[in-house]
Amino acid sequence: MMSGLRTILKRSVLLALIVIAAPIRADEGMWLPSLIGERIDDMRAKGFRLTAEDIYSVNAASMKDAVVLFNGGCTGELISPEGLLVTNHHCGYGAIQSHSTVEHDYLTHGFWAQNREEELPNETLWVRFLVRMEEVTDRLAAGESTEKIREEASERGRYRTAIEQMYYGNQQFLFVYEQFDDVRLVAAPPSSIGKFGGDTDNWMWPRHTGDFSLFRIYADAQNRPAKFSRKNGPYRPKRYFPVSTKGIGEGDFTMIYGFPGNTQQYVTADAVAYVVEQSDPMKIDLRTRRLEIISAAQEADAATRIRYAAKHASIANAWKKWQGELLGLQRLGTVAQKQAYEAEFARWAAGRPEYAQLLDSLHAAYRTAAEGYYRQELCNESVKGIELTTLGAALKQYAAKPSEALAERIAKLYRDYDPAIDRRVAAEMLHGLEQYHPRPLPEAYTAETARHGGIEGYADHLFTASAIVSYETVEPLLRDTAALRRTLAEEPVLRLVGIFDRGRIPRNLSNLPAIERWYRPYMKALREFDRERPFYPDANLTLRVAYGEVAGYWYADAVYHRPLTTLDGIIAKDDPTIYDYDIPEQLRERYAAKDYGRWGIPAADGGVTVPVCFLATTHTTGGNSGSPVINADGELVGINFDRTWRSTMSDLQFDPAICRNIAVDIRYVLFTIDRIGGAGYLLEEMELR
C-alpha cells in the first residue's frame, strides 16, 4: 500500500481546465432547511413534487420532525408512528458491539428483537430533533448576548440550544433541539450483511452493503424525553417517512436530509496544499501501520476480532477516506484551480482598499500557523494513536471529577484493551513520529529514547513501568482519587504526551483563530466578487438539505459505473474464506431458491433478483451517514452510508463528473428484515407504499 502511496505523492498534478467559479450546479450544495424556499424552484425543476413547507416548517409537522442527529455523529430517521428509527449499521456499531459477547455475538449473527421487551437499552445513546432554527445575526449585532438568546430559547432547560456560525461568522443562526436519551436497539443484520465488503469495499463502487440498523425512541407518558425506564413507551413522532416499495431508476430525483459534519468549500490554495502535501500523506501512513498490527491480531483470535472490531472500523474509515481525497484533489488539480481563482479575485480586489490585502494576510497567516498545527496533528496520530494514552486521559478526567458514568466507561475501555497489541502499536507510532516530526525533536523526548536504548526500549518502558496497563491495578485507584492523581503524575506514557501535546486544535487548519479571522472579510468579499454564484454555508453538523438524482459515472476510459447493484453482485463476491465476503448461509439459500417474497425485481438476465445499493449526485459528507434518501414524493427510498472513493474530495471541491453518494436501497433493508431476520412484524408498523 505504501509504495502505491509514494507513487501518488510523486505523481505530478494534472491540471484540469480552470473554471473560475461557474454558477453552482443543482447537485452541489448543503442548504439550510429554513431557507430552502430559495431553492424550491430548482428542486421542482428536477422533479420534486412537494413544497418548501413540507421540508421545513415551525408551525406544522414537516420532514425535519422525522430526522434526528444520531448520537452526535450520524443521522437517523423515523419510519413508523411508534418511534421506530433507522440509521446505518456502522452508526449503530458501538451499541451492537456493547451487547455482543462470544456467546451472544450480535456483530456476527445479527440481532432481531421479536417484541418490545427484547429491545436493548443503551445508556449513552441519544438522538436529537431540531425544533427550530432562526437567524440571529442582527440580534447579536445589536448587543444581545449569545447566553441570553440561548437561555430564552431553552425554555427553562427543556431544549438544548446552540448558536452556529455560517460563512465564517458573516451570519449567525440559533438552533433549538429536543434530546431523547432512551433509545433501544431493535434490530441489526449480521455484519456479513451490514458490513459486507468491509474495509475492502469501503468508499468504493460497486457496493453491496446492507448498512442499516433499527432503534426505537422511548418517551414518558407525556411523550417527553426521559431517562431509561421500563415505564416509558414508544415515542409518538410528529412526522415519519412513508417507505416506498416502488423503487428508483437512473435520473430519478433524490433528496438527502441530514447532519453533514464538515466541509471547506471556500478555503484558499494554501489550505488545500497543506492537505495534499503534508496532512493526508502523514495520517494515511501512520494509520496504515496501526491497522496492520490490529488486523493481524484479529485474524489470530476470535475474541480479539470482536473486542477490536469497532476500533478497527473507526481507524480505517478516515484512513481510506483520506486516500480517496488525496487522489481526487490531485486528479482535479485543485491547488492550481484555487490559485487561478485567487489571481482573478486579487485583480478585482486591487481597486478596493478594504479587500486589497486580504489574500496576502491569509497567506501570511497560513505560513505562520501551519507548522504548529501539523505538529499537533502528528501528535494526535502517533503519540495519541497509542491506546494507553486514551486510558491515561480518561483516568485524568476521573481523578479531576469522579463519576459513576466515567468509571463505567473506563471499565469498558479496559474490557476492550490488549496491552500486547498496544505495545506493538506504540513502537510503530514512535518510529512514525520521528520520521515525520520537523527537526529538531524535543530534547525531553530524545533524552528518554537515549535512556532506554532507542525506540524499542522506550516503548517497552512505557508499558513495563506503567501502573495503568491493567484494570486490576487501576480499579482500587478509582476508589482513592488522591492515590490515582499521584500515580498519574508518575505515569511514563502521560509524560510522553506532555512532551508533544499542545492541546485541542480545530478540525481544520483554516479554523485556527489566527487564520479564520481573515475568512470572515474574505467570504464577504467573495460574495461581492462572484455575484452569479449561490453560496451555501459549509457543513458544521447542523441540519441541511441536499438534492440531485440517481446517476452513474465514468470511472475511467471506457469504464462506466452504473448506479444500481443487486443481490447477484453479492453472490458473485461471496467467498467463505474471506471475512469481508462471507455471507450468511441463509442468504445463499434464499438466492439459490430465488425465495425473495415480495422484494424480488426483474434481473438483467431475465430472472429475478433483489436491489441492494444505488448512486446519486447528492452532496454529502461525514455526518450524513444514516441520512434518509427521499424521492420526489417525500418517501424513503434509501439510507445514505458512503461516498465513492475519489469523491471524498468534495469536502474541499465538488466535481459533478465523479462525486456520488452511496445509499442502501430501502427494499434490500425490507427484504433483510423480512426474509433474513424473520422480523416481518416490524414492517407492519411502517407505512409501505
Side-chain angles (χ1 to χ4, degrees):
M1 182 270 166
M2 287 309 303
S3 62
L5 176 61
R6 283 191 288 271
T7 300
I8 293 167
L9 297 177
K10 291 177 180 177
R11 188 178 299 149
S12 59
V13 175
L14 178 63
L15 297 183
L17 177 65
I18 306 298
V19 179
I20 306 299
I24 199 164
R25 298 163 286 268
D27 50 7
E28 179 185 356
M30 300 174 176
W31 309 99
L32 291 170
S34 63
L35 304 178
I36 200 62
E38 299 173 4
R39 306 296 305 171
I40 200 67
D41 288 344
D42 189 57
M43 294 177 70
R44 292 181 69 85
K46 291 204 72 168
F48 189 59
R49 287 188 280 271
L50 301 180
T51 68
E53 284 286 305
D54 289 313
I55 298 172
Y56 178 90
S57 176
V58 175
N59 301 315
S62 62
M63 290 183 195
K64 79 165 172 66
D65 301 308
V67 180
V68 298
L69 177 63
F70 185 87
N71 214 36
C74 286
T75 303
E77 54 270 11
L78 277 296
I79 55 171
S80 93
E82 298 176 68
L84 189 64
L85 176 152
V86 65
T87 186
N88 287 153
H89 183 269
H90 75 260
C91 294
Y93 204 78
I96 304 165
Q97 182 195 28
S98 70
H99 295 293
S100 295
T101 64
V102 174
E103 293 77 22
H104 300 285
D105 188 355
Y106 299 138
L107 286 176
T108 299
H109 305 298
F111 172 78
W112 307 96
Q114 295 302 310
N115 54 62
R116 301 282 168 81
E117 291 301 313
E118 293 183 2
E119 296 175 359
L120 301 176
N122 304 278
E123 292 184 7
T124 60
L125 184 59
W126 54 266
V127 299
R128 198 174 284 175
F129 291 89
L130 177 67
V131 177
R132 62 184 174 88
M133 58 178 295
E134 65 178 88
E135 187 172 0
V136 292
T137 310
D138 292 342
R139 292 174 65 182
L140 290 167
E144 286 192 70
S145 69
T146 58
E147 293 78 12
K148 178 176 180 290
I149 294 172
R150 291 183 60 191
E151 183 179 356
E152 289 179 354
S154 73
E155 298 186 13
R156 298 183 178 182
R158 178 181 178 183
Y159 299 118
R160 296 172 182 263
T161 62
I163 292 177
E164 304 288 356
Q165 296 186 5
M166 306 293 164
Y167 308 107
Y168 292 91
N170 283 284
Q171 291 178 260
Q172 313 272 348
F173 280 78
L174 168 71
F175 292 83
V176 181
Y177 300 98
E178 187 170 36
Q179 179 168 312
F180 288 79
D181 296 302
D182 188 353
V183 184
R184 304 181 196 178
L185 177 64
V186 175
S191 289
S192 51
I193 289 177
K195 201 173 179 287
F196 181 80
D199 295 333
T200 306
D201 284 2
N202 190 24
W203 303 105
M204 307 301 287
W205 188 260
R207 214 50 187 279
H208 301 88
T209 309
D211 197 348
F212 77 94
S213 55
L214 294 166
F215 293 80
R216 193 182 305 278
I217 305 171
Y218 281 76
D220 66 14
Q222 288 74 48
N223 207 38
R224 297 277 293 269
K227 296 294 183 181
F228 169 79
S229 170
R230 288 297 177 189
K231 295 180 180 180
N232 292 341
Y235 171 67
R236 302 181 301 278
K238 299 175 184 176
R239 181 79 173 257
Y240 61 90
F241 287 106
V243 178
S244 173
T245 62
K246 300 185 293 291
I248 46 147
E250 192 157 10
D252 285 354
F253 174 89
T254 59
M255 180 184 114
I256 281 181
Y257 214 158
F259 291 86
N262 181 261
T263 60
Q264 306 177 74
Q265 298 296 320
Y266 309 110
V267 292
T268 63
D270 303 275
V272 182
Y274 173 79
V275 169
V276 171
E277 298 167 9
Q278 292 183 268
S279 178
D280 276 3
M282 175 269 292
K283 293 186 295 188
I284 292 166
D285 183 21
L286 294 181
R287 291 208 177 192
T288 298
R289 303 185 197 190
R290 287 167 67 191
L291 287 167
E292 287 173 349
I293 294 168
I294 293 171
S295 295
Q298 287 180 299
E299 291 172 7
D301 180 69
T304 301
R305 175 177 57 78
I306 293 172
R307 286 191 295 136
Y308 272 73
K311 283 184 264 192
H312 188 285
S314 177
I315 297 166
N317 190 54
W319 164 76
K320 197 165 183 179
K321 184 223 175 183
W322 293 325
Q323 295 175 63
E325 179 177 75
L326 187 60
L327 283 168
L329 293 170
Q330 290 186 321
R331 184 189 65 84
L332 279 180
T334 301
V335 172
Q337 288 197 36
K338 290 263 185 191
Q339 289 170 339
Y341 184 62
E342 290 159 24
E344 288 292 315
F345 172 83
R347 284 190 282 274
W348 172 86
R352 296 164 173 81
E354 67 273 33
Y355 300 141
Q357 302 303 313
L358 273 178
L359 279 177
D360 288 341
S361 298
L362 273 166
H363 296 326
Y366 276 109
R367 285 194 300 271
T368 301
E371 184 174 309
Y373 188 87
Y374 177 76
R375 287 172 183 258
Q376 189 59 49
E377 279 207 303
L378 175 59
C379 172
N380 293 345
E381 287 296 328
S382 58
V383 174
K384 293 186 177 181
I386 303 168
E387 202 172 347
L388 192 59
T389 67
T390 302
L391 299 174
L395 290 167
K396 282 182 68 177
Q397 185 182 352
Y398 183 88
K401 191 175 181 179
S403 71
E404 185 177 341
L406 184 53
E408 291 175 356
R409 176 175 170 259
I410 289 168
K412 184 181 183 301
L413 288 173
Y414 277 98
R415 284 197 299 272
D416 293 334
Y417 179 63
D418 187 328
I421 296 173
D422 200 29
R423 160 62 183 84
R424 293 193 290 275
V425 169
E428 197 59 52
M429 292 302 95
L430 293 178
H431 282 292
L433 173 69
E434 293 199 8
Q435 176 183 341
Y436 288 105
H437 198 282
R439 292 308 191 252
L441 287 158
E443 290 185 11
Y445 171 79
T446 58
E448 286 289 337
T449 54
R451 186 177 300 118
H452 296 99
I455 286 175
E456 295 295 331
Y458 185 36
D460 282 338
H461 171 71
L462 293 176
F463 288 81
T464 57
S466 174
I468 64 170
V469 166
S470 163
Y471 187 66
E472 284 70 26
T473 57
V474 165
E475 188 177 21
L477 295 173
L478 298 179
R479 297 187 293 272
D480 186 349
T481 54
L484 177 59
R485 286 193 290 273
R486 289 194 298 271
T487 298
L488 294 175
E490 301 298 321
E491 183 59 33
V493 78
L494 293 181
R495 287 203 297 272
L496 171 64
V497 172
I499 293 171
F500 292 97
D501 188 21
R502 296 296 176 265
R504 293 177 63 92
I505 56 172
R507 185 168 181 175
N508 305 308
L509 170 62
S510 303
N511 296 125
L512 284 173
I515 297 175
E516 192 173 52
R517 65 181 291 251
W518 296 108
Y519 272 107
R520 184 168 185 172
Y522 182 60
M523 282 300 307
K524 182 176 181 292
L526 282 184
R527 295 169 81 176
E528 293 180 25
F529 161 65
D530 205 351
R531 295 183 180 275
E532 297 299 313
R533 180 182 184 184
F535 287 82
Y536 56 91
D538 275 320
N540 56 1
L541 210 62
T542 57
L543 192 59
R544 304 294 179 93
V545 174
Y547 60 96
E549 64 181 18
V550 177
Y553 68 104
W554 287 98
Y555 178 76
D557 184 37
V559 181
Y560 182 73
H561 279 180
R562 297 177 61 203
L564 307 171
T565 61
T566 70
L567 180 58
D568 295 346
I570 294 177
I571 299 302
K573 290 181 177 178
D574 180 26
D575 187 341
T577 67
I578 301 175
Y579 179 75
D580 285 346
Y581 296 128
D582 184 14
I583 66 174
E585 185 60 34
Q586 195 176 6
L587 188 56
R588 296 188 185 102
E589 293 170 355
R590 296 292 187 199
Y591 176 80
K594 298 296 185 283
D595 181 13
Y596 305 144
R598 63 189 291 192
W599 312 113
I601 63 169
D605 63 1
V608 182
T609 190
V610 179
V612 176
C613 293
F614 63 88
L615 293 173
T617 61
T618 327
H619 196 174
T620 60
T621 188
N624 277 127
S625 290
S627 295
V629 184
I630 304 157
N631 67 11
D633 297 311
E635 301 163 338
L636 186 68
V637 294
I639 308 165
N640 182 76
F641 70 91
D642 211 351
R643 296 191 65 74
T644 54
W645 196 35
R646 287 186 295 176
S647 65
T648 58
M649 40 68 72
S650 63
D651 288 354
L652 289 154
Q653 183 178 13
F654 189 90
D655 178 11
I658 65 166
C659 284
R660 299 290 183 271
N661 68 292
I662 307 174
V664 56
D665 194 305
I666 199 64
R667 292 170 294 174
Y668 186 53
V669 174
L670 299 173
F671 163 78
T672 304
I673 295 171
D674 184 24
R675 309 298 289 179
I676 304 299
Y681 79 95
L682 292 170
L683 276 56
E684 296 174 4
E685 65 181 272
M686 304 178 196
E687 184 181 333
L688 301 182
R689 294 181 178 177

